[in-house]
Amino acid sequence: MTPHSRRATPHAPDLTPRPLQAVLFDMDGTLVDTERLWWEAVEQVAGRPLTEADQPDVLGRPVEHTAAWLGAATGRPAGELAAGLHHEFAERVRTGIVPRPGALELLDALAAAGVPTALVTASPRAVADVVLDALGAARFAASVTADDTERTKPAPDPYLAACHALGVEPAACVAVEDTETGVASAEAAGCAVLAVPSLAPIGAAPGRTVRDSLVGVTPDGLSRMVAPGLRVMSWNLWLGGSEVDDHRAKQLKVILESGADVVGLQETAGSAAPELAEALGWHHHRAGENLGLLSRHPITARFGGPDVGFYGAAGIRIAVAPGREVDVWTAHLHYTPYGPYESAFDGLPADELIAHEEVRLAQLRDALDRIAEAGRDDVPVVLVGDFNCPSHLDRPDVEWPVTKAAEEAGLRDSYREVHPDPAAMPGHTWSPVHPVHEDGSGRPEPQDRIDYVLHRGLTARDARTLVTGTPRPWPDVAGNDWPSDHAAVVTTFALPTG
C-alpha cells in the first residue's frame, strides 16, 4: 500500500533553505473531535464504560490493537471485534464530526503561506476518507493511514511515508499530535512536534511544544519550532581533481546536486576552494595548499591559515541562522603506513596495526587541540576529513586509535549513528576507482571507510556516501563524471532547538 497524494509522483527532497517544509497533522483528536467518537465506539463494542486505565490501549491506537486488547479481555475473536469497532466508529464519524478549535483556520493559513500539509493517521483509509471529505481533501497534499504502512503509530513509518510523499525532510517538518502514541511516532521519525492533548496529558520535552489548542497557532510560530538544518559534505578532491577532464565543472555539479550547505575539502591543489566558492557565490576559507572550506552561510571566524601543512586541520565558524553558529573543521591525515594494506597484504596483527597509527593519531590530537582552543561551549562542532584509516566502529577486531580518540573527545560518527550496522551499510569511501591494487598484482584493493563527518552538539538526521555515475577504474579515469578517487560523505544535521 502507498500513501495517497495529490502529486503525481514522489520527488527529490526540497533542498531550499526554507525552515518549515511541511506540517503533518494527526486526525483523531487533533483536526477533528473524533477521539470522543472513538472512545464511545470502543465502549459500545466492549459493552462497558471505559476508565483512565484503558487509555493506553484505546487512544491513538489502530483498530487492530484495540480489538486484540478487547479480545484478550473478553475471549471474543479479534476479527469480529475489529469489524464492530470499524462499523461503530464510522457511523459516529458520518454523523458527529466536529473540527477542533483553530484547525480550519490553521489549515487555511498554511495554504496561504504555501506550506504543504499531510494527514497522518492510525485510522483505516475508509474512515480517513470520510474525514477528508468533511474537511476538504484539497487541503492536504498527501494522506497516510493505517492501511498504507506495514507498521503504524507509535512506529515512525507513517510520518516517514508522509515526508517521502511530500518530498521533504522530517527535520524540516512539524507534526501536530494529540496523544503520546502519536508524539512517539513523529519524534521517532525526526519531526518537531506540536502536542495539543485531547483526552490525556502530554509532557513537555526537547523539540516538543505543548499547547491547549490550535487557536492562535500560526505558520510563523510553527516555523520557529523547526530546528535549523545543516548539510555537511566531506570530499577529497584528488589532487584538486586534475586526473579528470573538466574537473572543476564536475565538482560544481556534484556540490550543487548534493544540497550541501558547507563542504570540507582535502587535496585542493591550492586553488580549488576560492575557485569553487566564486562559481557558487559562496563564502570560503583557504588553508595552505591542501585544505579548504566552502559555505553558503556567512563565515564569522576562520581557524588555520596559509601555514597549515599538507596534513593538518583548518576550520570556520558559520552563522547558520540568527543566533545559531556552528564550527566546521576539515582535516587530512597522513596516508602511510596504510593500515588496510598492512592488514590485507602483510597480515599484521592488531597490536602492530595500532602501533603504526602513531603519526595519524598525533595529527588528529593536534586537530582536536586546535578545535578545543578555538571553540565555545555554546557552539556545536563538525569535523570532517580524510583520515586515511579505518574506524574502530567498523572493524571491532582492531581498536583503531584515531577514530577512537575522536570519540573519546566527544565527537560522534554521524554515518555510524544513522547506519549502525557496518555489515549492512559499510559506507566505503576508498575507493570508487580502485577495485584492484594499482601495483599490477591484480590483488583486490581493500575497500574501507576512511572519510568521516564527526560532530558534537548536533543531531544527525541522515548520512550517506556519494558517488555520481559509474566511474571507470584507474587508470582510465579522465572521462569519469565523478572527479575523485574517494567517495564523498554527506550528513544532514538538525541544530539544537534550545
Side-chain angles (χ1 to χ4, degrees), residues 6 23 25 104-117 138-140 219:
R6 290 193 287 108
V23 179
F25 287 94
L104 297 183
E105 292 82 358
L106 178 55
L107 287 168
D108 289 342
L110 290 167
V115 179
T117 61
R139 294 180 185 273
F140 301 92

Side-chain angles (χ1 to χ4, degrees), residues 88-143:
E88 292 293 336
F89 184 51
E91 286 300 311
R92 285 168 172 76
V93 167
R94 291 188 185 96
T95 58
I97 190 170
V98 177
R100 296 285 288 171
L104 297 183
E105 292 82 358
L106 178 55
L107 287 168
D108 289 342
L110 290 167
V115 179
T117 61
L119 189 73
V120 184
T121 177
S123 294
R125 171 62 57 186
V127 173
D129 284 345
V130 173
V131 175
L132 283 168
D133 288 342
L135 294 175
R139 294 180 185 273
F140 301 92
S143 61

Side-chain angles (χ1 to χ4, degrees), residues 250-265:
K250 293 175 180 177
Q251 290 165 350
L252 286 167
K253 185 173 185 290
V254 167
I255 292 170
L256 288 169
E257 291 183 352
S258 75
D261 300 303
V262 58
V263 184
L265 301 171

Side-chain angles (χ1 to χ4, degrees), residues 2 54 81 152 158 166 205 227 292-293 334 387 395 411-412 425 442 446 487:
T2 57
D54 299 318
L81 290 165
T152 188
L166 295 176
L293 293 120
H334 206 288
F387 286 10
R395 293 175 167 223
L411 294 171
R412 302 197 299 275
M425 295 291 289

Side-chain angles (χ1 to χ4, degrees), residues 13-287:
D14 182 353
L15 301 179
T16 61
R18 183 178 66 216
L20 178 63
Q21 293 184 357
V23 179
L24 315 173
F25 287 94
D26 172 58
M27 184 180 77
D28 301 329
T30 301
L31 284 177
V32 291
D33 190 8
T34 52
E35 290 289 8
R36 173 181 54 83
L37 304 179
W38 172 242
W39 191 263
E40 292 173 358
V42 177
E43 286 186 323
Q44 178 67 30
V45 174
R48 65 171 176 84
L50 299 178
T51 69
E52 184 177 340
D54 299 318
Q55 289 179 352
D57 291 296
V58 176
L59 297 183
R61 292 294 189 175
V63 172
E64 290 72 19
H65 175 94
T66 302
W69 167 72
L70 286 175
T74 64
R76 296 161 62 188
E80 174 188 310
L81 290 165
L85 290 168
H86 277 299
H87 173 76
E88 292 293 336
F89 184 51
E91 286 300 311
R92 285 168 172 76
V93 167
R94 291 188 185 96
T95 58
I97 190 170
V98 177
R100 296 285 288 171
L104 297 183
E105 292 82 358
L106 178 55
L107 287 168
D108 289 342
L110 290 167
V115 179
T117 61
L119 189 73
V120 184
T121 177
S123 294
R125 171 62 57 186
V127 173
D129 284 345
V130 173
V131 175
L132 283 168
D133 288 342
L135 294 175
R139 294 180 185 273
F140 301 92
S143 61
V144 179
T145 75
D147 300 332
D148 298 325
T149 56
E150 183 175 345
R151 299 182 301 171
T152 188
K153 303 174 186 180
D157 305 33
Y159 280 101
L160 294 175
C163 290
H164 179 71
L166 295 176
V168 297
E169 297 181 23
C173 298
V174 174
V176 186
E177 274 284 355
D178 75 309
T179 66
E180 287 279 9
T181 301
V183 167
S185 172
E187 290 181 343
C191 302
V193 171
L194 172 60
V196 186
S198 56
L199 293 179
I202 297 174
R208 182 191 309 170
T209 300
V210 182
R211 289 182 57 121
D212 292 335
S213 81
L214 294 177
V215 175
V217 177
T218 65
D220 285 344
L222 294 174
S223 292
R224 288 192 291 271
M225 291 177 53
V226 176
L230 185 69
R231 182 169 286 154
V232 181
M233 179 176 179
S234 181
W235 198 13
N236 182 312
L237 295 182
W238 190 18
L239 305 175
S242 58
E243 298 291 335
V244 176
D245 295 338
D246 201 19
H247 56 273
R248 194 68 81 230
K250 293 175 180 177
Q251 290 165 350
L252 286 167
K253 185 173 185 290
V254 167
I255 292 170
L256 288 169
E257 291 183 352
S258 75
D261 300 303
V262 58
V263 184
L265 301 171
Q266 308 90 41
E267 293 197 35
T268 63
S271 62
E275 289 179 5
L276 288 168
E278 182 178 7
L280 290 164
W282 287 14
H283 310 274
H284 81 280
H285 176 40
R286 171 179 172 176

Side-chain angles (χ1 to χ4, degrees), residues 409-457:
L411 294 171
R412 302 197 299 275
D413 185 331
S414 65
Y415 189 86
R416 270 300 155 250
E417 280 189 299
V418 176
H419 308 291
D421 184 351
M425 295 291 289
H428 295 153
T429 60
W430 180 266
S431 165
V433 300
H434 288 293
V436 297
H437 196 48
E438 60 181 329
D439 65 356
S441 65
R443 294 177 294 181
E445 178 76 2
Q447 301 296 305
D448 275 279
R449 191 170 69 99
I450 62 173
D451 301 79
Y452 302 95
V453 177
L454 312 179
H455 73 101
R456 181 174 64 240

